[in-house]
Amino acid sequence: MLQVNNISCLVGEKEILKGLTLSIKPGEVHAIMGPNGTGKSTLSHLLAGKSGYEATSGEILFEGKNLLEQTIDERAKAGLFLGFQYPVEIPGVSCMNFLKSAVNAVYKSRGKAEMDALEFLKKVRQEAKKLDLDESMLKRSVNQGFSGGEKKRFEVLQMALLEPKLAILDETDSGLDIDSLRNIAEQINLTRSSERSFLIITHYQRLLNHIKPDVIHILNNGRIIASGGFEIAEKLESEGYKAFGINKNGKDD
Amino acid sequence: MIKMSSIINNIKVESNFLSFWKGARSDALQNFKNKGFPSKKNEAWKYTSLQGLSEDLLEPSHSSKQIIQAKKPISSSFFIKVVNGHIDLENSVLPEGLRVFDLEGECKDESSELVMKSLFENSNKDKLQTHIDINTAYCNKVLVAHIPKGKYLEKPIEIHYIHESENEYKSSYTQLYILQEADSHVTLIERFYGDTAKEEKCASHIHNHVVRIQLNKSACLTHYRLQEAPSDNYSIYTAHLEMKDESTYNSFTFCKGAMLSRNEVKVNINGTKVHCNQQGVTLGQYKQHHDSYLPVTHNGPDSYSNQNFRQLLNGNAKGIFYSNVLVPKDSIKTQAHQLNHNLLISDTAQAFTRPELDIFTDEVICSHGATVGNLDVNSLYYLQTRGLSADQAKALMIESFANELIDDVKHEEIKDLIKVSLTKWVEEH
């Protein structure tokens, strides 16, 4: 589904990713862990198409097509979803209006009929209920006045509505209490399928206890330095990054 | 430059004019002759100049023929049609208490004359307002509404000022007087639209409109103004509002049309427990120039005034928000709030914002704020990651910026009209 081949990326004048390679097959859940500032979020924004993130070498294929040639919305329409680490507050844009515009744009591109207002409302209510999101919040502006946990739940709600093929979840667990974490993990698990893949960026094992990944990668200094099964997360939790030869400053020993 | 002598020669002070109007017109003529249009030295006119206007353009239009279709009035309203400044009585439905007053005819209605005289004299003390003088000099028929005590006008009064393009470049001069007696309730809708002769680089029509309103004790006026004048028009709107004890004024101004628009609303709060709430959205594009000048004076304690305006400016448009709220000594317990947000959609649009508060007493709750900014790139990015194209994301943000205020419009039909007009504007640009 996603093939990242030896990709390097500049943000401003700084090279953040340095020859990163990653392959995700349909239905697989991958997790990326790593110290702060090693390029985890850079990878997510490069995949999503953020302006200012320039791939200097390598290629990225999403379902066999060159992802880097596509605009941000084309990537979303093709089935790529980015759950933001810091969801953006957009005053004035109501959640419902935003969700409807987004869902209709994506549906239209996939040749699906746009949902009528009632049908859409029903679906949103259904998904919001699963996430324990108060319906009244959806009358507010996007992410405005939301707590950290509410913002993350709203991200997962969007993911559920947009039905992506690959969901990149950038620190979706940060700012969540234990119950919210469990609830969100449950919802993510419910959306898992043989055709949907996940790339989960996290600092902690706790999310991975609920969403068992197929592969865990350790990212440091712009490239993947270790990959493996759940034992990697356990080793990291017990021994820290030094077990992977990473010192306090995030530098390779 | 305008040759004053030539203008003055063309204006006759008819012998059968109402005596007070005859004097008022002579004074106005003299004042305009001496001073011309306000200069930029006048702080209220710092950002807008009418001084370069062609002399011919100031002459009143004599044509009242209407070819273009009038827009459908909102359901069940009193409807008054004004074409190129001429009131079309045949196609109007006037409510009880509203009269057309012919200033050149004989006085047949002393009540209307008294209303007009009182409101005129109250509002015409400022000799710097020479843009009103030219209106006084040329306007011949005025609308005068005297709403009796306790009258609750359930249907809105809706006035359409329609500009029909002519071969000659002319001006329209209109005046509206409203005196609401105690406990009366009125909804007023003023709409401005018309056709454009051709793409003009300079103004081909000026609509100079003066509104004088007095709200007596506990009277309530809800005022909507939709300015969608043709792109070759100058729209000069001057309102003077006198508010007595416990009166309420709520207004929403949607300003989208005209090459140049001036929206001047001067509020005198002469009482206590007055509630004055003004809101508005301005849309500017190409080289449009929109100037809102909104002074408020709290001449009494324990009153509330609020101004909340947003400007969306694209192309080379210029938007001005200048509000001066004066809280004199002894006007204790005043609440006054001013807020102006500006969204610059292009790099070449300009916003000037001056929410000024002059407070000369203690025990007040006052606030003022302004912002000027571009579309937030992170928000645009966020929306695009959800499948909206760059244009869709931009349109959603622009519309939402305006809708935050438009959603406050309580009249659903008016709200819909504004929203449709806004969507059209966003789609076109």
Side-chain angles (χ1 to χ4, degrees):
Chain A
M1 178 165 289
L2 180 74
Q3 189 66 47
V4 180
N5 294 328
N6 196 29
I7 200 87
S8 295
C9 173
L10 278 178
V11 181
E13 289 179 0
K14 196 174 176 189
E15 188 176 46
I16 308 291
L17 299 181
K18 300 164 185 173
L20 185 142
T21 294
L22 175 71
S23 176
I24 302 176
K25 293 188 178 66
E28 283 185 349
V29 176
H30 287 232
I32 289 189
M33 303 178 86
N36 293 325
T38 53
K40 299 186 298 298
S41 290
T42 299
L43 174 64
S44 69
H45 288 307
L46 178 69
L47 291 170
K50 188 172 186 177
S51 165
Y53 289 64
E54 187 195 345
T56 50
S57 67
E59 64 170 2
I60 304 175
L61 300 174
F62 181 56
E63 297 219 298
K65 289 182 184 163
N66 185 350
L67 192 73
L68 297 173
E69 282 179 354
Q70 296 175 28
T71 59
I72 305 167
D73 61 302
E74 283 169 351
R75 298 176 196 207
K77 285 166 184 159
L80 192 140
F81 176 86
L82 170 61
F84 279 56
Q85 181 182 1
Y86 303 110
V88 183
E89 294 187 11
I90 314 180
V93 177
S94 83
C95 289
M96 285 305 277
N97 195 11
F98 158 65
L99 291 174
K100 196 161 191 301
S101 303
V103 167
N104 282 339
V106 168
Y107 272 34
K108 198 177 167 188
S109 73
R110 294 176 191 165
K112 288 173 82 173
E114 290 185 5
M115 274 194 264
D116 66 45
L118 262 178
E119 194 186 355
F120 179 76
L121 191 65
K122 200 175 158 188
K123 189 165 170 66
V124 172
R125 278 181 178 157
Q126 209 173 25
E127 296 297 338
K129 198 176 173 187
K130 284 184 200 166
L131 284 158
D132 216 10
L133 258 178
D134 191 345
E135 205 184 307
S136 65
M137 281 177 56
L138 302 175
K139 289 176 185 163
R140 292 194 220 156
S141 296
V142 171
N143 290 317
Q144 204 172 32
F146 287 20
S147 69
E150 285 168 338
K151 282 180 183 171
K152 296 302 172 76
R153 275 183 278 171
F154 188 55
E155 293 290 292
V156 177
L157 172 71
Q158 292 169 51
M159 184 191 75
L161 291 169
L162 293 171
E163 300 169 353
K165 290 175 184 163
L166 171 66
I168 306 157
L169 303 177
D170 190 358
E171 295 197 29
T172 298
D173 52 343
S174 65
L176 292 181
D177 59 42
I178 294 164
D179 290 338
S180 299
L181 180 78
R182 190 179 294 122
N183 175 261
I184 278 187
E186 275 171 18
Q187 296 318 311
I188 293 170
N189 282 330
L190 280 174
T191 60
R192 283 176 77 160
S193 79
S194 59
E195 288 166 1
R196 181 166 297 142
S197 309
F198 288 86
L199 179 60
I200 295 168
I201 296 168
T202 183
H203 276 294
Y204 307 106
Q205 187 194 328
R206 56 181 194 167
L207 180 66
L208 306 181
N209 288 336
H210 299 286
I211 308 168
K212 293 285 184 200
D214 299 299
V215 186
I216 297 175
H217 308 278
I218 301 293
L219 183 68
N220 190 46
N221 202 19
R223 59 183 184 271
I224 288 170
I225 58 161
S227 298
F230 197 69
E231 71 281 357
I232 285 202
E234 288 171 331
K235 189 175 178 184
L236 188 63
E237 194 74 9
S238 60
E239 298 176 40
Y241 283 112
K242 66 182 176 191
F244 299 91
I246 302 168
N247 66 21
K248 275 183 192 171
N249 303 319
K251 303 289 179 199
D252 299 337
D253 281 338
Chain B
M1 240 350 247
I2 298 160
K3 294 172 195 162
M4 300 304 167
S5 55
S6 146
I7 293 169
I8 278 43
N9 290 339
N10 288 335
I11 299 170
K12 294 167 190 160
V13 179
E14 301 288 345
S15 57
N16 55 353
F17 265 27
L18 302 173
S19 58
F20 103 84
W21 190 250
K22 197 173 166 181
R25 182 172 268 201
S26 295
D27 288 350
L29 283 173
Q30 195 56 46
N31 201 35
F32 192 80
K33 186 182 172 187
N34 292 342
K35 293 174 183 161
F37 278 119
S39 78
K40 290 194 172 187
K41 287 179 184 168
N42 178 345
E43 202 60 23
W45 287 87
K46 186 175 176 180
Y47 305 93
T48 302
S49 176
L50 301 176
Q51 290 187 320
L53 286 172
S54 154
E55 171 188 333
D56 297 338
L57 194 56
L58 297 176
E59 285 188 25
S61 164
H62 295 293
S63 168
S64 59
K65 65 171 182 183
Q66 189 206 347
I67 301 162
I68 60 161
Q69 187 78 33
K71 292 189 179 182
K72 198 178 159 213
I74 63 160
S75 54
S76 57
S77 65
F78 296 109
F79 175 57
I80 299 144
K81 195 159 83 175
V82 183
V83 181
N84 289 354
H86 300 274
I87 301 159
D88 179 0
L89 271 176
E90 277 181 26
N91 291 299
S92 298
V93 182
L94 271 60
E96 191 187 341
L98 197 151
R99 284 181 173 65
V100 177
F101 205 56
D102 187 351
L103 300 170
E104 289 183 341
E106 287 177 31
C107 177
K108 292 173 187 169
D109 184 348
E110 283 185 15
S111 156
S112 294
E113 187 191 357
L114 281 174
V115 169
M116 197 189 143
K117 188 176 180 220
S118 156
L119 267 60
F120 179 86
E121 287 175 348
N122 236 339
S123 65
N124 211 43
K125 292 166 189 163
D126 185 353
K127 294 293 176 195
L128 293 173
Q129 292 184 299
T130 46
H131 60 297
I132 295 179
D133 289 332
I134 187 82
N135 184 303
T136 307
Y138 274 129
C139 188
N140 289 328
K141 281 183 184 169
V142 300
L143 285 163
V144 181
H146 187 190
I147 312 299
K149 186 179 175 185
K151 178 79 179 174
Y152 194 105
L153 217 58
E154 286 183 13
K155 295 182 191 175
I157 301 171
E158 184 171 351
I159 309 173
H160 288 206
Y161 300 95
I162 304 165
H163 170 239
E164 184 78 57
S165 63
E166 300 167 78
N167 293 328
E168 291 180 301
Y169 295 165
K170 299 288 180 191
S171 290
S172 303
Y173 297 94
T174 49
Q175 291 185 19
L176 170 66
Y177 292 80
I178 297 175
L179 171 61
Q180 281 186 236
E181 297 294 358
D183 297 306
S184 61
H185 286 246
V186 172
T187 298
L188 171 68
I189 301 162
E190 292 187 282
R191 299 185 65 183
F192 304 79
Y193 58 90
D195 72 342
T196 310
K198 47 190 176 284
E199 283 304 316
E200 293 289 345
K201 287 182 179 167
C202 58
S204 63
H205 184 86
I206 304 172
H207 181 196
N208 187 327
H209 185 45
V210 175
V211 180
R212 296 180 168 107
I213 299 167
Q214 182 174 317
L215 303 180
N216 284 346
K217 190 174 186 295
S218 303
C220 178
L221 175 64
T222 305
H223 188 180
Y224 299 108
R225 190 171 155 258
L226 279 63
Q227 193 275 99
E228 298 173 291
S231 58
D232 57 351
N233 277 207
Y234 270 30
S235 175
I236 313 296
Y237 182 93
T238 315
H240 186 278
L241 177 66
E242 181 90 5
M243 300 183 74
K244 306 285 188 187
D245 287 348
E246 296 171 35
S247 59
T248 301
Y249 177 71
N250 288 306
S251 75
F252 192 95
T253 300
F254 179 66
C255 179
K256 172 185 171 182
M259 177 183 287
L260 178 148
S261 78
R262 166 84 173 180
N263 172 37
E264 177 175 328
V265 181
K266 193 172 184 180
V267 180
N268 275 336
I269 295 175
N270 286 336
T272 184
K273 296 191 190 323
V274 167
H275 183 103
C276 176
N277 183 34
Q278 296 170 280
Q279 291 183 301
V281 167
T282 295
L283 310 178
Q285 53 164 329
Y286 307 128
K287 287 186 175 177
Q288 275 185 302
H289 179 110
H290 295 300
D291 182 350
S292 295
Y293 175 56
L294 307 161
V296 177
T297 305
H298 281 260
N299 285 324
D302 202 12
S303 285
Y304 170 90
S305 73
N306 181 51
Q307 295 175 328
N308 192 353
F309 284 77
R310 291 191 173 197
Q311 303 193 100
L312 294 84
L313 304 165
N314 201 357
N316 293 310
K318 197 183 276 187
I320 297 118
F321 173 86
Y322 178 22
S323 157
N324 187 291
V325 175
L326 175 66
V327 186
K329 201 180 166 198
D330 301 329
S331 292
I332 56 163
K333 294 185 180 175
T334 289
Q335 277 198 57
H337 305 285
Q338 300 164 294
L339 193 57
N340 174 229
H341 290 306
N342 297 279
L343 179 64
L344 301 180
I345 299 162
S346 70
D347 294 337
T348 45
Q350 296 178 69
F352 299 84
T353 176
R354 286 176 64 181
E356 291 179 357
L357 276 168
D358 286 331
I359 305 168
F360 296 93
T361 188
D362 297 327
E363 272 194 78
V364 295
I365 301 171
C366 295
S367 67
H368 58 166
T371 60
V372 180
N374 305 103
L375 288 168
D376 178 48
V377 287
N378 286 324
S379 301
L380 288 171
Y381 168 56
Y382 186 80
L383 294 173
Q384 288 173 80
T385 63
R386 288 354 184 201
L388 300 180
S389 68
D391 284 346
Q392 284 174 318
K394 201 172 155 186
L396 182 63
M397 285 188 66
I398 293 169
E399 279 200 63
S400 302
F401 179 82
N403 278 334
E404 268 196 299
L405 267 192
I406 295 169
D407 283 336
D408 286 350
V409 172
K410 292 200 170 51
H411 197 294
E412 291 299 325
E413 278 183 86
I414 299 289
K415 191 195 290 184
D416 289 346
L417 278 176
I418 295 173
K419 285 198 170 188
V420 167
S421 186
L422 168 70
T423 302
K424 201 175 160 200
W425 186 84
V426 173
E427 281 170 359
E428 284 170 358
H429 310 97

